[in-house]
């Protein structure tokens, strides 16, 4: 069956450290993958997109990697700040629609 | 900035009631989507539309219908609300002009069915 999985346990890190979130998928061959941020009680907000032929994408303190062999994307936030605390969702494009993971909650301690 | 608005932030309805959730976007996007979000299950696609008067079933359409009479407006209808439809409902829109099109989400409607 097709699955997209993110770690359901919250990631708790100290301010200034790098946060790394994982997105794994099975039985999909997505042309691209997106990452979104969602704050409590709000809709998701788009952060980054990475295409299947790209290994890595950066935007300010954010970095995304995409390994189509491992069927995995990693999302990194460097020099993390308490304001980065949120739930992060990955989404892959398949059959003309986005399929979302259930998200990983990140908590950055001051 | 793209703006997607939803008619209510919070809604409480009784079992069996007909419920209308409205979504409006102001960026002339062709594509509009309705999701529901439940803890541990992520966002699940209910219905989507690529054009006016056009609709496609998503992954969980049972118990729902939609209407898109105008490009900017996409309505989700619960014909007879049930308690298992208590959830957060999110509307989104995207442009067909961009190949790798990001979705813009509204703030969500938290629906409680008693």
């Amino acid at each position: 069956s097709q699955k997209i999985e993110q770690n359901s346990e919250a990631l708790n890190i100290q301010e200034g450290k790098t946060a790394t979130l994982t997105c794994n998928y099975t039985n999909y061959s997505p042309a691209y993958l997106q990452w979104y941020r969602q704050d409590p009680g709000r809709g998701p907000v788009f952060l980054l997109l990475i295409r299947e032929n790209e290994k890595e994408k950066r935007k300010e303190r954010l970095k995304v990697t995409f390994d189509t062999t491992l069927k995995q994307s990693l999302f990194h936030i460097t020099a993390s700040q308490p304001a980065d605390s949120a739930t992060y969702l990955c989404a892959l494009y398949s059959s003309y629609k986005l399929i979302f993971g259930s998200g990983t909650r990140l908590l950055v301690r001051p | 900035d793209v703006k997607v608005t939803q008619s209510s932030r919070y809604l409480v309805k009784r079992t069996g009631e007909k419920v209308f959730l409205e979504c409006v976007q102001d960026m002339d996007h062709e594509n509009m989507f309705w999701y529901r979000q439940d803890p541990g299950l992520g966002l699940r696609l209910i219905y989507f539309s690529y054009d006016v008067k056009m609709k496609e079933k998503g992954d969980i359409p049972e118990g729902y219908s939609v209407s898109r009479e105008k490009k900017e407006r996409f309505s989700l209808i619960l014909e007879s609300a049930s308690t298992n439809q208590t959830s957060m409902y999110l509307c989104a829109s995207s442009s067909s002009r961009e190949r790798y099109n990001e979705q813009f989400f509204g703030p969500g409607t938290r629906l409680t069915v008693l």
Side-chain angles (χ1 to χ4, degrees):
Chain A
S1 63
Q2 294 176 315
K3 275 193 295 188
I4 177 168
E5 292 180 322
Q6 296 183 257
N7 195 341
S8 58
E9 287 184 26
L11 179 62
N12 199 323
I13 64 168
Q14 185 74 43
E15 181 177 10
K17 301 291 185 185
T18 296
T20 299
L21 307 176
T22 304
C23 177
N24 295 300
Y25 59 93
T26 53
N27 295 322
Y28 286 110
S29 297
Y32 64 85
L33 192 143
Q34 299 180 353
W35 283 88
Y36 289 76
R37 169 185 172 138
Q38 186 174 22
D39 292 287
R42 295 180 164 270
V45 174
F46 172 81
L47 295 174
L48 276 172
L49 176 150
I50 187 164
R51 297 175 178 80
E52 61 181 336
N53 59 351
E54 297 175 319
K55 295 291 184 190
E56 183 180 297
K57 199 77 165 286
R58 290 176 187 262
K59 179 181 176 183
E60 297 171 354
R61 294 183 296 112
L62 307 181
K63 184 178 89 171
V64 172
T65 62
F66 192 12
D67 189 325
T68 55
T69 302
L70 289 179
K71 294 188 182 296
Q72 181 181 78
S73 176
L74 298 178
F75 177 82
H76 306 272
I77 305 176
T78 57
S80 60
Q81 304 166 0
D84 295 326
S85 298
T87 296
Y88 292 87
L89 308 172
C90 68
L92 54 82
Y93 184 72
S94 176
S95 301
Y96 306 103
K97 58 190 179 186
L98 280 181
I99 313 297
F100 283 86
S102 55
T104 297
R105 189 169 170 219
L106 172 66
L107 299 170
V108 181
R109 301 189 310 275
Chain B
D1 277 356
V2 174
K3 198 143 199 190
V4 180
T5 56
Q6 295 183 228
S7 49
S8 307
R9 292 301 305 273
Y10 300 94
L11 210 51
V12 180
K13 295 292 181 181
R14 298 219 173 264
T15 300
E17 280 193 77
K18 191 168 186 175
V19 182
F20 293 87
L21 302 182
E22 303 284 337
C23 175
V24 177
Q25 51 92 6
D26 66 357
M27 281 302 291
D28 200 37
H29 282 172
E30 295 80 9
N31 311 320
M32 296 189 75
F33 308 83
W34 274 107
Y35 296 90
R36 64 177 282 178
Q37 186 175 32
D38 301 287
L41 295 178
L43 276 78
R44 292 181 292 167
L45 183 63
I46 305 172
Y47 267 97
F48 58 103
S49 169
Y50 287 146
D51 203 350
V52 176
K53 296 193 187 291
M54 176 272 179
K55 60 185 178 184
E56 292 283 344
K57 291 181 180 179
D59 299 317
I60 51 164
E62 297 78 20
Y64 303 95
S65 62
V66 290
S67 171
R68 193 163 181 203
E69 296 296 318
K70 293 186 177 181
K71 190 176 185 180
E72 68 272 17
R73 188 180 296 270
F74 193 34
S75 303
L76 180 69
I77 303 149
L78 286 66
E79 295 290 342
S80 177
S82 63
T83 54
N84 63 13
Q85 292 178 310
T86 291
S87 187
M88 170 70 95
Y89 289 87
L90 290 159
C91 174
S93 71
S94 70
S95 170
S96 290
R97 292 182 288 275
E98 300 292 328
R99 185 180 172 195
Y100 302 107
N101 37 16
E102 66 183 273
Q103 292 190 7
F104 295 86
F105 284 83
T109 295
R110 186 163 293 281
L111 172 67
T112 301
V113 182
L114 302 175

